[in-house]
Amino acid sequence: MADTSVPPGIQLRRTGVPPPAAPATADRPASLIGSNNLADQQDENDNAPYVDDEDPARGWPVVFGASAMLFVTLGLVYSFGIVQDILISARFASASVLGWASSLSIVMMPVLAVPCTNAVHRFGNRAASIAGSLLLAAGYLCMSWAVGSATDSPGQSPTPTSTVGDGGGSLPLLFVAQALVGTGYALAFWASNSIAAAYFTRHRALAVGIVYSASGIGGAAFSLALQAMAASPLRLPWSLRVCAAVALAITLPCSFLLVPRRRPADASAAFKPALLKDPSFVLLLVATGLATFPIFVPPFFLPTYATSAGLDRSVGAALVAGYNLASGLGRILFGVLADSAFGPVSALGFALFLAAASILAIWTVSNSLATLILFLVVNGSSSGAILSLQPPVNAAIFGIHQAALTLSMTTSSRAFGMAFGGPIAGYLLDAFGGPHAGTQAYRPALLVMGSLCLLSASLIAALRYRLGGFRLDARF
């Protein structure tokens, strides 16, 4: 009789024949064999196996298209710290209020995770990406009108109605602009973030890491470009309009490269309540939510922190650019680590620990350029990996057939952190003296954010123990 066993780590193509029961191995502990948990079973509409059919020839163009989408969308989101620093210096609004504005652009992604995933399944990745591109550009056009002629010139100050400069400005319109940017970012993100994973098996984490690394490179490019244009005769409003035009020029053609390899068997399923009974899923869900509170605080607050430390504003922009470059590099390096014997769950836990340690042990005591550079290298590389490791982690625990489903559900838990992380940091900063009180005013906020990140790392450690103990030969 033919041998029907499947080598460990090999995924199987659909054949219409139910898969044989796999024996317990180092990669698949006995606790997951015959489990009644939904997360451990094939979807009832997709009970056929898969084979190792990595398709890089068609996969790499998809990687390029998805990378371009995140280069622009997340690059613009990460560079909002430059806009925020200019508006705070112009006294357009307080740090806490602008913290709410910054969080609005990122909270849409997790809040709209389920409807955006359904939209991608119903209308296709290309259509969702094109819609996201148009909304993103519209948001930046709206933002250019919202900020008016915002400037940091000492002779100008805001009116009681939050109008800045002779060209006017509107704080409510800034929130509308950020909502448009956030909705466009959400659609583009869910159309492109994990589409490349289906084309790869052995190098899945690396491919996804390359896609996510583009967002760090985009954040660096847009941060430097915004700072340079805002200091030029273009000023801030026209700088934002140029960003809108560049966004459209890149994202619209690249949307047509987003060709999915296969549709999920149940295209309408973006939420499965029964997963909430699985302890592994709950641990990952809570850890993901906690990790998101501090994750966007560094790119949004580094420029203001640099100013509070007595550094030039151009240095602050360079720090954000360096942070985003480190983020991009970290996503690739941690992707390679996740593809190795270390495993994606272990890599995620290590990244969370490094992110927490860098906030608590480095940023809280940073008063010089050297320590800030050390912080941005360690925190940027680890924080970037926290986002990029999510798809391979979900695929490793719940299977590639449930990766999109579980990713949309776990990402929904990011809504709380993305909504309240920036505002909490901003309120604590204002409560302890504000940006003009020096770097010590930031420490309470940093201690809170670092502690939340450390708690998230502890939950991932518990998840890793539940999946395979702490055995080095158990690849998770």
Side-chain angles (χ1 to χ4, degrees):
M1 186 174 183
D3 183 14
T4 59
S5 63
V6 181
I10 297 298
Q11 296 204 346
L12 301 176
R13 177 180 309 167
R14 183 168 308 167
T15 63
V17 180
T25 66
D27 293 332
R28 183 175 172 82
S31 60
L32 296 186
I33 305 294
S35 169
N36 290 324
N37 287 339
L38 247 176
D40 303 332
Q41 304 296 327
Q42 284 274 20
D43 189 275
E44 61 269 20
N45 295 319
D46 188 23
N47 59 4
Y50 290 84
V51 291
D52 180 17
D53 58 351
E54 190 161 293
D55 190 2
R58 290 195 301 151
W60 287 118
V62 176
V63 169
F64 177 81
S67 298
M69 295 304 301
L70 295 193
F71 173 88
V72 173
T73 53
L74 266 170
L76 287 173
V77 169
Y78 283 150
S79 63
F80 183 75
I82 303 300
V83 179
Q84 179 173 282
D85 184 41
I86 295 174
L87 296 180
I88 288 176
S89 297
R91 301 189 184 276
F92 183 86
S94 67
S96 57
V97 171
L98 289 174
W100 283 108
S102 64
S103 68
L104 190 58
S105 65
I106 56 176
V107 74
M108 292 297 186
M109 186 269 285
V111 167
L112 299 178
V114 172
C116 282
T117 301
N118 278 331
V120 170
H121 288 161
R122 181 174 181 180
F123 301 107
N125 297 72
R126 292 173 174 176
S129 181
I130 290 172
S133 301
L134 294 174
L135 286 172
L136 182 72
Y140 261 74
L141 284 176
C142 187
M143 193 187 304
S144 72
W145 298 319
V147 301
S149 296
T151 177
D152 58 346
S153 300
Q156 289 188 326
S157 59
T159 67
T161 58
S162 297
T163 299
V164 180
D166 56 1
S170 169
L171 185 59
L173 188 59
L174 178 63
F175 277 84
V176 173
Q178 287 291 81
L180 288 172
V181 169
T183 305
Y185 159 49
L187 279 168
F189 177 85
W190 287 110
S192 57
N193 84 101
S194 61
I195 187 174
Y199 289 90
F200 300 89
T201 53
R202 297 181 299 276
H203 304 99
R204 178 175 294 142
L206 175 61
V208 175
I210 291 174
V211 171
Y212 275 78
S213 70
S215 63
I217 299 171
F222 280 108
S223 296
L224 293 175
L226 263 175
Q227 179 64 38
M229 289 189 294
S232 74
L234 283 175
R235 307 312 296 260
L236 184 58
W238 274 104
S239 301
L240 296 172
R241 290 164 196 153
V242 170
C243 287
V246 170
L248 277 181
I250 295 176
T251 56
L252 283 181
C254 287
S255 295
F256 291 93
L257 294 175
L258 302 181
V259 181
R261 190 174 191 185
R262 60 173 70 90
R263 279 187 177 275
D266 184 1
S268 65
F271 183 77
K272 194 171 283 187
L275 279 167
L276 298 175
K277 299 177 182 179
D278 185 343
S280 294
F281 181 82
V282 172
L283 281 171
L284 184 61
L285 186 75
V286 177
T288 299
L290 291 174
T292 314
F293 277 87
I295 206 165
F296 285 99
V297 170
F300 288 159
F301 281 86
L302 265 177
T304 308
Y305 189 95
T307 303
S308 300
L311 301 174
D312 188 76
R313 176 164 296 155
S314 61
V315 175
L319 287 173
V320 175
Y323 180 89
N324 285 305
L325 286 175
S327 174
L329 180 61
R331 285 164 177 165
I332 295 176
L333 293 178
F334 274 91
V336 173
L337 187 65
D339 280 331
S340 71
F342 202 66
V345 179
S346 300
L348 177 60
F350 183 48
L352 282 165
F353 175 78
L354 283 180
S358 64
I359 295 175
L360 295 173
I362 303 176
W363 198 8
T364 53
V365 296
S366 292
N367 286 301
S368 66
L369 181 59
T371 53
L372 284 175
I373 291 175
L374 176 62
F375 165 76
L376 71 86
V377 170
V378 178
N379 188 268
S381 57
S382 55
S383 294
I386 292 171
L387 295 177
S388 64
L389 287 172
Q390 197 82 57
V393 164
N394 284 53
I397 300 175
F398 307 107
I400 189 62
H401 59 288
Q402 291 197 108
L405 163 67
T406 56
L407 185 61
S408 69
M409 291 180 65
T410 53
T411 303
S412 297
S413 69
R414 295 180 188 173
F416 299 100
M418 289 183 170
F420 299 111
I424 288 174
Y427 276 120
L428 288 172
L429 173 59
D430 288 339
F432 285 86
H436 304 290
T439 57
Q440 66 273 9
Y442 293 80
R443 287 173 187 165
L446 299 182
L447 289 172
V448 171
M449 295 299 141
S451 299
L452 289 173
C453 196
L454 188 60
L455 179 58
S456 177
S458 302
L459 293 176
I460 293 298
L463 173 61
R464 173 63 175 80
Y465 181 79
R466 184 177 188 277
L467 292 173
F470 289 125
R471 302 195 319 272
L472 297 178
D473 60 340
R475 184 185 176 277
F476 280 106

